[in-house]
Amino acid sequence: MRGDVLVREAAASPAVPLCGDVPPVSWPAPKHAPTERANGPSLARDAASAALAPHRHDEAAVRKVQTCLLDVIGAALESRGLPWGCQAVGIASEVKGGVPIIGTARRTTVGDAAFANAVLAHGLVREDMHAASISHLGVVVIPVLLALSRSHRVSGMRFINAAVAGYEVGARIGAALFTTELARLFRPTGITGPIGGAAAAAVLLGLDVNRAASAIGMAANATGGLNEWPAVGGTEMFFHPGFAARNAVTAARLAELGAEASESALDGEAGLFAAFRRDGMRPVIRFFDGAPEIMAVYNKPVPACNFAQTACQLALRLSREHGVRAGEIQGIQIRVPRAAARYPGCDSTGPFSKLLQAKMSIPFGVAATLLRGTIEEANYHLPVGAEMERLLDLVTLEEDAALTAAFPVQQGAEIALELADRVVCGKLDDVVAATPAEVRERFERAATDSLGRERAEAILRFVDAMPDAVDMAPLADLLALQEDGAP
């Protein structure tokens, strides 16, 4: 994935897909008319069958799982001391010999470990992103699998297959379900996470199709997450993946024990789609139709909202390439896709009293980048100073039709900086993702700081050899501290 910067005089670059084209999702006619599903299996059964079907994933998909796994672990280690990380660990029951929580000495239940590790992984707001479903699937799917693989003996390839299945089911259902307006009300990860996590758990646990369909249906009953938090900076956002991961584990284990969810929990008259879309339409979704959806996931380079990534990257390039100094800026015009402009908190120009208000705001991210000449966690320190206030007052944010048409395959941005003697304009076709090497480097730095170099190197060796691993349980133990707090 790359993004091309275009200055005003430059010719446009060819369109570059985010990580491959998102496979088509069609919406058939209302239920009273003939539809493809009129006499066919339910969506939950389709998802279960697709998840459980034998797959030979290519090397690229295997490497993507390994990268996403390292990204989750690295972010979790960096989040241990943050308030929401401490709170998630603090409520976990202590169980001698239980499942470890990443970077801590606490052992707990499978559900509590999934919850805590998911919150930790989301704690920096620097996680993987699936644009079409507007979801952070890795911070749910991977903590679910890490927790279950500590209590169930599974091979590395089963873990990999389960992860790919979880991303696939969560991503495709989310892409079919979410609209820009729906995402203004409900947190997509809180809806797609339990479903994708349950599908992943079903593969890991080796459930049959009936029980896997029940796990997915049960998870549909445990979705949730409101998008009120960006307006006030509430921290419930950090816990959405935790609820999703715990509910995914619960749904799969209930199904394993024979609990039967409504098979039509996703696409029935009172199912998930009817409840959220309320348009009388039933989705037709083709799982694994083309490249696996995990290949459409990108790893964030910046610890901020997905929709702020591209504009911040463009602002940094324009600033450096044109020698722009913050003090000479007299106007900042930002153009983004409609999904970015309309997502809660993304258009905010303040006031900013909470961290999440700043991390969600495209104007804040761009102004801070122009002021500091870099993109890093320190950009989001509050309160803001007088020069930052001045820059925020100069920002206008608009929807762009062409950028909207390109989304979600591409997530572009345009910026015009009005200076005293010139106007500097640029366009970035797509977000520039963190490379696998960059993800690996930041994981290694976090693991060395938290667990020591020897342990960091051992984790990397294990993940590199994961396709040949006969038991994934040792990985969870490598991620934990000893009971006395030592690595």
Side-chain angles (χ1 to χ4, degrees):
M1 184 189 309
R2 67 176 175 84
D4 295 322
V5 173
L6 307 179
V7 294
R8 177 174 285 169
E9 295 78 16
S13 300
V16 181
L18 184 66
C19 270
D21 291 336
V22 176
V25 175
S26 59
W27 284 84
K31 190 173 180 181
H32 61 266
T35 72
E36 183 174 325
R37 291 195 181 281
N39 297 304
S42 68
L43 180 54
R45 181 168 290 272
D46 270 358
S49 298
L52 296 174
H55 295 286
R56 292 185 60 85
H57 298 302
D58 63 17
E59 186 178 346
V62 173
R63 289 199 305 268
K64 188 67 176 181
V65 172
Q66 291 168 311
T67 296
C68 291
L69 173 59
L70 289 177
D71 210 15
V72 162
I73 297 169
L77 289 171
E78 290 188 57
S79 298
R80 292 178 308 152
L82 298 176
W84 31 92
C86 294
Q87 291 153 6
V89 174
I91 67 168
S93 304
E94 294 198 47
V95 177
K96 188 174 180 61
V99 180
I101 297 174
I102 295 172
T104 78
R106 181 160 298 193
R107 270 65 171 173
T108 186
T109 64
V110 173
D112 280 359
F115 177 88
N117 287 337
V119 175
L120 289 168
H122 197 38
L124 299 178
V125 200
R126 191 197 70 200
E127 57 285 303
D128 65 37
M129 176 71 191
H130 184 264
S133 63
I134 327 177
S135 297
H136 308 298
L137 293 163
V139 294
V140 179
V141 168
I142 289 173
V144 165
L145 297 180
L146 284 173
L148 286 171
S149 65
R150 179 58 171 72
S151 58
H152 295 70
R153 184 181 176 88
V154 296
S155 69
M157 278 310 303
R158 176 169 281 191
F159 187 105
I160 290 167
N161 290 337
V164 175
Y167 277 88
E168 183 76 13
V169 172
R172 291 197 184 247
I173 287 176
L177 176 64
F178 273 93
T179 64
T180 297
E181 297 310 314
L182 187 61
R184 288 183 63 80
L185 300 174
F186 298 101
R187 182 88 190 282
T189 302
I191 310 301
T192 61
I195 295 168
V203 174
L204 193 86
L205 295 174
L207 304 187
D208 60 25
V209 171
N210 289 335
R211 292 187 177 184
S214 275
I216 291 169
M218 201 71 73
N221 282 273
T223 58
L226 302 174
N227 260 345
E228 176 63 15
W229 57 273
V232 297
T235 61
E236 64 262 43
M237 186 274 298
F238 292 114
F239 301 103
H240 289 157
F243 298 139
R246 190 202 301 276
N247 288 339
V249 167
T250 301
R253 297 181 85 182
L254 284 171
E256 184 181 32
L257 293 173
E260 297 182 6
S262 305
E263 192 170 302
S264 52
L266 292 175
D267 55 354
E269 289 185 4
L272 187 78
F273 276 83
F276 283 96
R277 290 289 294 249
R278 304 184 68 81
D279 56 8
M281 308 294 272
R282 302 179 71 201
V284 175
I285 302 174
R286 299 179 179 89
F287 299 98
F288 290 110
D289 182 19
E293 283 300 300
I294 194 172
M295 301 308 297
V297 165
Y298 83 91
N299 299 90
K300 282 186 184 178
V302 178
C305 174
N306 163 65
F307 290 122
Q309 304 281 319
T310 314
C312 289
Q313 291 176 334
L314 176 56
L316 182 62
R317 290 194 182 188
L318 291 177
S319 176
R320 291 178 174 177
E321 292 176 6
H322 295 274
V324 176
R325 297 186 304 275
E328 64 179 330
I329 297 174
Q330 298 181 357
I332 304 171
Q333 299 175 4
I334 308 170
R335 300 177 69 85
V336 294
R338 184 171 188 268
R342 294 283 292 161
Y343 197 82
C346 285
D347 62 350
S348 175
T349 56
F352 298 99
S353 60
K354 300 288 181 64
L355 174 69
L356 282 177
Q357 292 171 313
K359 288 200 169 191
M360 290 303 298
S361 168
I362 298 171
F364 188 103
V366 168
T369 299
L370 293 169
L371 179 62
R372 293 176 51 82
T374 187
I375 308 174
E376 59 186 9
E377 182 72 17
N379 284 23
Y380 300 95
H381 286 178
L382 299 174
V384 301
E387 181 63 2
M388 183 67 175
E389 290 279 11
R390 186 186 77 83
L391 291 175
L392 285 167
D393 287 340
L394 299 176
V395 175
T396 59
L397 180 72
E398 299 177 355
E399 300 174 12
D400 182 87
L403 295 175
T404 297
F407 183 84
V409 176
Q410 290 181 290
Q411 185 172 288
E414 296 182 7
I415 293 177
L417 301 177
E418 181 183 346
L419 311 178
D421 59 345
R422 57 189 169 135
V423 175
V424 173
C425 300
K427 177 182 178 183
L428 190 58
D429 286 335
D430 199 1
V431 64
V432 181
T435 66
E438 289 168 339
V439 170
R440 188 181 182 94
E441 180 183 355
R442 68 195 189 193
F443 157 79
E444 189 168 10
R445 184 168 57 250
T448 299
D449 290 346
S450 303
L451 304 171
R453 178 164 297 281
E454 183 177 345
R455 184 76 67 84
E457 291 174 351
I459 295 168
L460 285 173
R461 287 194 300 270
F462 190 100
V463 173
D464 288 342
M466 192 165 68
D468 299 318
V470 296
D471 185 7
M472 287 293 294
L475 177 60
D477 293 322
L478 284 173
L479 303 178
L481 300 178
Q482 303 301 319
E483 291 186 7
D484 60 2

